[in-house]
């Protein structure tokens, strides 16, 4: 078995990773997919993907996501092909990935899984020494369809432009308390629309009052970093923005949409339910209070 470590995936590696994701989801009945890009990672040069190959077949993947600098929490996604589990694949990949995190100043991390996986493997937490964070996240989704634009919208959407960044920085930093203005500026600059990501702003009375990024590289469009400025909340603008984006993105062909929302965020759940989303799976974050190198 060979372990390859790269900061970003080549087209061929992305194809292999996508096939592995599909095999794991089919076997485990899971839905949460790793983000197969480092576009929004804090460091663009840190190795973020660790790929395990056996006879030229990808049998394992570890992805690292860090949206803050040294000292912040890193998200770790581990996938092993069902036919190669309990063979030390995950352990070998993690032993390659953990020193990279430590060398870059990340001493805290959490592993991403789903409640359906834990329910199917009731001994998993005991066997690995991991514990589940009580704060979970719902992944919500819509079926593929053509969505109509709202009939009466108070504002309108358009794609993010470079000149929008400075106006959005204070709104973004206020909406995401763990992001400094500097980090918000970097994030928004990287969110300028490209081949993998589209970012929309919501304009109300000629003022930018919110934005939403959409990962368009997968089988469904994934909404993330959605916010409406504090002074404009509770007016239905978030729902309106989401519906307008869905209408624009599905105009030429039916699209499915997914997103993640904290289970203890009723306001956001209300926005997405009103926009037509239903809960698809419950995402669980695992931490390692005692053992950090057990096989997944």
């Amino acid at each position: 078995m060979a372990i390859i470590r790269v900061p970003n995936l080549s087209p061929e590696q992305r194809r292999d990773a996508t096939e592995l994701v599909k095999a794991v989801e089919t076997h485990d009945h899971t839905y949460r997919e790793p983000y197969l890009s480092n576009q929004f990672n804090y460091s663009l040069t840190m190795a973020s993907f660790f790929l395990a190959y056996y006879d030229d077949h990808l049998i394992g993947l570890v992805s690292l996501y860090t949206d803050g600098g040294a000292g912040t929490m890193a998200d770790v996604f581990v996938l092993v092909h069902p036919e190669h589990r309990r063979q030390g694949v995950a352990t070998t990949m993690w032993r390659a990935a953990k020193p990279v995190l430590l060398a870059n100043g990340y001493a805290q991390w959490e592993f991403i899984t789903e409640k359906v996986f834990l329910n199917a493997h009731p001994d998993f937490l005991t066997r690995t020494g991991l514990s589940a964070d009580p704060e979970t996240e719902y992944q919500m989704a819509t079926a593929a369809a053509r969505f109509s634009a709202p009939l009466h919208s108070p504002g309108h959407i358009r794609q993010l432009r470079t000149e929008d960044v400075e106006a959005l920085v204070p709104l973004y930093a206020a909406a995401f308390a763990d992001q400094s203005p500097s980090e918000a500026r970097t994030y928004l600059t990287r969110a300028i629309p490209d081949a993998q990501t589209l970012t929309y702003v919501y304009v109300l009375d000629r003022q930018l009052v919110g934005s939403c990024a959409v990962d368009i590289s997968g089988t469904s469009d994934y909404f993330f970093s959605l916010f409406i400025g504090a002074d404009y909340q509770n007016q239905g603008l978030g729902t309106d923005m989401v519906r307008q984006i869905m209408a624009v993105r599905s105009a030429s062909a039916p699209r499915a949409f997914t997103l993640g929302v904290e289970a203890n965020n009723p306001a956001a759940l209300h926005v997405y339910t009103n926009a037509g989303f239903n809960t698809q799976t419950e995402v669980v974050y695992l931490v390692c209070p005692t053992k950090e190198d057990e096989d997944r």
Side-chain angles (χ1 to χ4, degrees), residues 107-205:
Q108 300 179 74
W109 45 78
E110 52 192 8
F111 298 92
I112 301 174
T113 187
E114 296 173 46
K115 183 162 286 188
V116 64
F117 177 85
L118 296 178
N119 289 342
H121 302 83
D123 66 332
F124 181 78
L125 296 180
T126 301
R127 179 168 58 83
T128 61
L130 299 170
S131 60
D133 189 325
E135 295 185 3
T136 62
E137 177 183 290
Y138 293 130
Q139 178 164 302
M140 305 182 75
T142 71
R146 279 192 173 90
F147 294 88
S148 300
L151 294 177
H152 304 288
S153 292
H156 69 275
I157 63 166
R158 62 167 172 79
Q159 290 193 21
L160 176 71
R161 304 168 184 161
T162 302
E163 57 267 28
D164 297 328
V165 170
E166 288 307 315
L168 283 175
V169 164
L171 297 178
Y172 188 95
F176 302 101
D178 60 339
Q179 298 283 307
S180 68
S182 175
E183 291 170 337
R185 184 175 294 105
T186 298
Y187 186 94
L188 289 166
T189 300
R190 293 184 187 177
I192 301 298
D194 62 16
Q196 296 182 11
T197 307
L198 297 176
T199 301
Y200 295 90
V201 296
Y202 191 83
V203 184
L204 180 69
D205 297 330

Side-chain angles (χ1 to χ4, degrees), residues 198 200 216 221 244-253 255 257:
L198 297 176
Y200 295 90
I216 61 173
D221 283 7
Q244 287 193 47
I245 295 172
M246 292 165 69
V248 169
R249 287 291 299 149
S250 66
S252 59
R255 297 291 296 171
F257 298 91

Side-chain angles (χ1 to χ4, degrees), residues 15-27:
R15 179 203 62 211
D16 293 344
T18 299
E19 292 178 358
L20 174 62
V21 169
K22 291 179 180 178
V24 169
E25 289 180 344
T26 299
H27 182 271

Side-chain angles (χ1 to χ4, degrees), residues 5-231:
R5 45 189 276 180
V6 293
N8 210 349
L9 300 176
S10 69
E12 294 77 13
Q13 291 167 339
R14 181 184 290 272
R15 179 203 62 211
D16 293 344
T18 299
E19 292 178 358
L20 174 62
V21 169
K22 291 179 180 178
V24 169
E25 289 180 344
T26 299
H27 182 271
D28 293 337
H29 306 289
T30 51
Y31 294 94
R32 177 64 180 266
E33 298 181 358
Y35 183 47
L36 299 179
S37 171
N38 75 341
Q39 180 179 3
F40 294 102
N41 270 18
Y42 184 82
S43 171
L44 297 178
T45 58
M46 184 184 82
S48 298
F49 300 95
F50 299 77
L51 303 99
Y53 281 93
Y54 181 77
D55 287 342
D56 295 325
H57 295 289
L58 183 66
I59 62 172
L61 170 71
V62 167
S63 70
L64 308 177
Y65 178 70
T66 57
D67 60 5
T72 60
M73 180 73 74
D75 288 339
V76 182
F77 211 117
V78 182
L79 292 175
V80 177
H81 193 284
E83 296 178 2
H84 294 273
R85 292 179 178 173
R86 307 299 289 271
Q87 298 173 19
V89 177
T91 298
T92 302
M93 291 190 298
W94 177 234
R95 285 177 176 168
K98 178 183 174 182
V100 172
L101 287 174
L102 293 173
N104 283 273
Y106 299 100
Q108 300 179 74
W109 45 78
E110 52 192 8
F111 298 92
I112 301 174
T113 187
E114 296 173 46
K115 183 162 286 188
V116 64
F117 177 85
L118 296 178
N119 289 342
H121 302 83
D123 66 332
F124 181 78
L125 296 180
T126 301
R127 179 168 58 83
T128 61
L130 299 170
S131 60
D133 189 325
E135 295 185 3
T136 62
E137 177 183 290
Y138 293 130
Q139 178 164 302
M140 305 182 75
T142 71
R146 279 192 173 90
F147 294 88
S148 300
L151 294 177
H152 304 288
S153 292
H156 69 275
I157 63 166
R158 62 167 172 79
Q159 290 193 21
L160 176 71
R161 304 168 184 161
T162 302
E163 57 267 28
D164 297 328
V165 170
E166 288 307 315
L168 283 175
V169 164
L171 297 178
Y172 188 95
F176 302 101
D178 60 339
Q179 298 283 307
S180 68
S182 175
E183 291 170 337
R185 184 175 294 105
T186 298
Y187 186 94
L188 289 166
T189 300
R190 293 184 187 177
I192 301 298
D194 62 16
Q196 296 182 11
T197 307
L198 297 176
T199 301
Y200 295 90
V201 296
Y202 191 83
V203 184
L204 180 69
D205 297 330
R206 300 185 180 181
Q207 297 292 319
L208 301 183
V209 302
S211 74
C212 177
V214 188
D215 176 9
I216 61 173
S217 64
T219 56
S220 65
D221 283 7
Y222 187 86
F223 288 80
F224 62 102
S225 295
L226 184 154
F227 75 92
I228 293 291
D231 293 341

